[in-house]
Amino acid sequence: QAKSCICHMCGAHLNRLHSCLYCVFFGCFTKKHIHEHAKTKRHNLAIDLLYGGIYCFMCQDYIYDKDMEQIAKEEQRKAWKLQAFTPTVVSHYQCTMTGIGEKYSTWEPTKRELELLRHNPKRRKITTNCTIGLRGLINLGNTCFMNCIVQALTHTPLLRDFFLSDRHKCEMQSPSSCLVCEMSTLFQEFYSGHRSPHIPYRLLHLVWTHARHLAGYEQQDAHEFLIAALDVLHRHCKGDDNGKKANNPNHCNCIIDQIFTGGLQSDVTCQVCHGVSTTIDPFWDISLDLPGSSTPFWPLSPGSDGNVVNGESHVSGTTTLTDCLRRFTRPEHLGSSAKIKCSGCHSYQESTKQLTMKKLPIVACFHLKRFEHSAKLRRKITTYVSFPLELDMTPFMASSKESRMNGQYQQPTDSLNNDNKYSLFAVVNHQGTLESGHYTSFIRQHKDQWFKCDDAIITKASIKDVLDSEGYLLFYHKQFLEYE
């Protein structure tokens, strides 16, 4: 019965057009025209015409309905047939509307496009003031924890290159349940040039499906979501031969393990015979203790005021990321209550344990343990930790272990190893208390160009804003693998 799909109040066809599910009425979501209609008529359900999501005005939130989504898909297929779209256009719409894994065909250039490419062989460079890739995310009800991690992942240089070059080939029986296919769609959405906020309801539904401990509208921990998301992505995109030839500690050649997996070396030394037992475990992130926690902190920055270690300027009493890493990789005496059976002594002996980096990942994620949960205590630690724009991980490598005597830091003689140098590209922050808080993130768009992402709102940020922030999750990318 609709004559045309335009807003009945302002006549626009953009501004996130929604259709009332009670009557023939179209209204802008951005300009609140559909909200006014819902309030006046008490018509509390509307459907987003671009994404098919249903909005409830009583809940003030998008809701997921399996039957409605199936109906929307069928109607979209009928619409494509009726409008006789060309295959190229159909694949674009299928990519954005039904998920990249469903009937998705790769782009094939036309004769005209090939001719243009021949006459314009130079690659177009993205200018420093270009905003492509910046896009807000609608909060679907306490989902800021998810939005800030999505922003970090979609701005991970090597992960971005993988998805935008159409490398994912889905092998799941049901592509609609594949989280990697949904991530492919997300990257297409983010880098499509659209400026309106994206609604990540499909992603939320898939996370709820595959990581049930995160299901529900309660506020979740962004760090926990990151690990759960990486785990599901890893399971959904395992590489060929089950990764038997993969050169990483997880022995998997999927894109997640290639980028995020590192190897943590644990050396346990017997205090009697000095025999060393070594194990190497895979990791996706490094959790670091902070001063102010119930765990004793060891030690603060060496030297006096004004020292610069790893590019961090030290102010008296200020804790740095380097301090936290030195504490993480210091030898630790396990004590008489934690004796181990020494393979050399063939008896239980006291020992020391030391962690170092055997293999560094392409993306190093540092988790500052700001939330303390114990039998006696539940609190947030707000200690400020200084972190650098550029980080050299050489001092914390297993190969540099000899440069640290009795847990004290010494500058390694070979500090020119570019393989171990990283650049900061994303920071996730938490404001508020343990019981009530909000997550935001800073992401790097170009070199020295930073933006703050607060759900649907993206604003320009200075480097000072980034480095002065409290910091909860810090994302660093290997410098020599960045393609700016």
Side-chain angles (χ1 to χ4, degrees):
Q1 297 176 34
K3 293 179 181 178
S4 58
C5 294
I6 59 172
C7 178
H8 285 194
M9 290 191 180
C10 68
H13 65 280
L14 300 172
N15 299 325
R16 290 176 57 204
L17 200 64
H18 283 56
S19 170
C20 176
L21 289 181
Y22 293 78
C23 66
V24 183
F25 181 90
F26 300 95
C28 298
F29 195 92
T30 306
K31 294 184 178 179
K32 307 271 188 190
H33 292 155
I34 191 71
H35 297 70
E36 293 172 31
H37 173 78
K39 187 177 180 180
T40 306
K41 300 288 187 179
R42 294 188 180 180
H43 292 177
N44 290 315
L45 291 174
I47 186 165
D48 184 327
L49 291 187
L50 183 58
Y51 298 99
I54 300 170
Y55 190 88
C56 173
F57 290 93
M58 293 183 73
C59 302
Q60 295 184 359
D61 208 345
Y62 286 92
I63 55 175
Y64 176 78
D65 184 89
K66 190 176 179 180
D67 294 333
M68 273 300 297
E69 179 155 295
Q70 193 58 43
I71 291 168
K73 285 183 181 179
E74 289 300 322
E75 292 302 319
Q76 285 160 7
R77 290 190 188 99
K78 290 178 187 176
W80 293 331
K81 289 178 182 178
L82 284 172
Q83 295 183 39
F85 284 163
T86 63
T88 304
V89 178
V90 170
S91 67
H92 167 72
Y93 271 78
Q94 286 170 334
C95 167
T96 55
M97 300 290 281
T98 65
I100 203 163
E102 297 180 16
K103 295 184 179 179
Y104 174 70
S105 57
T106 54
W107 171 71
E108 293 289 340
T110 63
K111 288 183 179 179
R112 170 67 177 154
E113 287 167 337
L114 285 170
E115 191 66 27
L116 287 169
L117 287 169
R118 272 193 291 270
H119 284 90
N120 299 275
K122 287 186 178 180
R123 180 180 173 184
R124 184 181 174 186
K125 291 184 178 179
I126 297 176
T127 58
T128 53
N129 60 354
C130 177
T131 57
I132 191 166
L134 292 173
R135 196 164 184 189
L137 290 164
I138 298 293
N139 191 317
L140 299 175
N142 285 329
T143 57
C144 55
F145 69 93
M146 177 181 76
N147 290 350
C148 64
I149 297 301
V150 169
Q151 292 288 0
L153 292 178
T154 50
H155 289 89
T156 301
L158 218 59
L159 196 64
R160 173 196 63 202
D161 294 345
F162 173 85
F163 279 113
L164 293 185
S165 57
D166 196 25
R167 296 284 301 280
H168 172 58
K169 306 300 178 192
C170 187
E171 295 180 2
M172 292 186 66
Q173 290 183 345
S174 175
S176 61
S177 66
C178 175
L179 190 65
V180 192
C181 289
E182 181 56 33
M183 282 301 294
S184 296
T185 306
L186 266 178
F187 274 88
Q188 301 259 348
E189 287 285 350
F190 265 74
Y191 292 91
S192 64
H194 295 308
R195 290 171 176 252
S196 60
H198 179 64
I199 308 169
Y201 70 96
R202 292 180 194 275
L203 177 70
L204 182 64
H205 172 64
L206 284 174
V207 170
W208 284 3
T209 302
H210 298 291
R212 295 195 177 276
H213 62 289
L214 295 175
Y217 284 103
E218 297 82 10
Q219 179 65 272
Q220 303 288 351
D221 179 28
H223 173 247
E224 190 176 2
F225 176 82
L226 170 67
I227 300 305
L230 291 179
D231 178 58
V232 177
L233 286 167
H234 156 74
R235 285 191 274 122
H236 286 192
C237 70
K238 282 189 175 179
D240 302 328
D241 301 321
N242 296 318
K244 291 174 184 176
K245 299 176 183 177
N247 184 27
N248 66 63
N250 230 13
H251 301 298
C252 175
N253 62 357
C254 77
I255 189 61
I256 299 304
D257 279 301
Q258 286 184 51
I259 293 176
F260 293 95
T261 298
L264 192 64
Q265 180 169 313
S266 172
D267 295 318
V268 178
T269 306
C270 173
Q271 293 294 283
V272 177
C273 70
H274 302 292
V276 181
S277 172
T278 299
T279 55
I280 298 170
D281 296 308
F283 69 87
W284 278 331
D285 72 315
I286 299 166
S287 293
L288 301 170
D289 288 315
L290 301 180
S293 69
S294 56
T295 306
F297 197 80
W298 174 102
L300 288 178
S301 307
S304 58
D305 296 356
N307 271 344
V308 175
V309 179
N310 231 332
E312 298 165 318
S313 296
H314 290 269
V315 180
S316 182
T318 300
T319 304
T320 70
L321 178 61
T322 306
D323 292 329
C324 298
L325 284 166
R326 283 210 310 278
R327 184 194 185 282
F328 182 77
T329 55
R330 84 199 191 285
E332 179 185 5
H333 186 67
L334 296 180
S336 57
S337 61
K339 290 182 178 180
I340 61 160
K341 189 170 184 178
C342 176
S343 57
C345 301
H346 302 292
S347 60
Y348 286 92
Q349 303 291 350
E350 290 189 25
S351 59
T352 59
K353 178 181 179 180
Q354 185 172 12
L355 299 173
T356 49
M357 309 294 159
K358 178 65 176 176
K359 182 178 175 60
L360 290 172
I362 292 171
V363 169
C365 174
F366 300 106
H367 164 228
L368 304 183
K369 293 161 75 171
R370 296 201 173 276
F371 304 122
E372 191 168 48
H373 301 273
S374 64
K376 297 179 180 179
L377 211 57
R378 289 185 75 255
R379 63 186 180 122
K380 180 185 174 185
I381 300 165
T382 57
T383 307
Y384 172 69
V385 176
S386 167
F387 50 91
L389 284 175
E390 295 187 345
L391 177 69
D392 186 356
M393 288 294 288
T394 304
F396 314 109
M397 296 295 291
S399 57
S400 303
K401 185 178 174 182
E402 60 273 12
S403 72
R404 229 163 17 254
M405 301 299 292
N406 299 319
Q408 295 301 314
Y409 175 80
Q410 292 181 349
Q411 184 68 32
T413 54
D414 179 19
S415 59
L416 302 174
N417 190 347
N418 289 324
D419 284 4
N420 301 336
K421 290 186 177 178
Y422 287 80
S423 293
L424 183 72
F425 72 90
V427 178
V428 171
N429 287 292
H430 179 271
Q431 288 91 37
T433 64
L434 195 66
E435 290 76 23
S436 176
H438 179 61
Y439 286 102
T440 60
S441 59
F442 288 106
I443 57 97
R444 188 192 63 189
Q445 172 72 348
H446 304 286
K447 185 173 175 59
D448 297 335
Q449 296 234 1
W450 288 83
F451 291 86
K452 183 179 180 180
C453 304
D454 186 352
D455 288 332
I457 302 168
I458 310 288
T459 53
K460 194 91 163 60
S462 67
I463 293 175
K464 187 177 185 299
D465 294 333
V466 178
L467 298 182
D468 286 350
S469 65
E470 192 176 82
Y472 178 50
L473 298 174
L474 311 175
F475 293 84
Y476 286 84
H477 199 284
K478 274 195 174 180
Q479 287 183 357
F480 78 99
L481 285 171
E482 290 184 288
Y483 299 104
E484 288 293 342

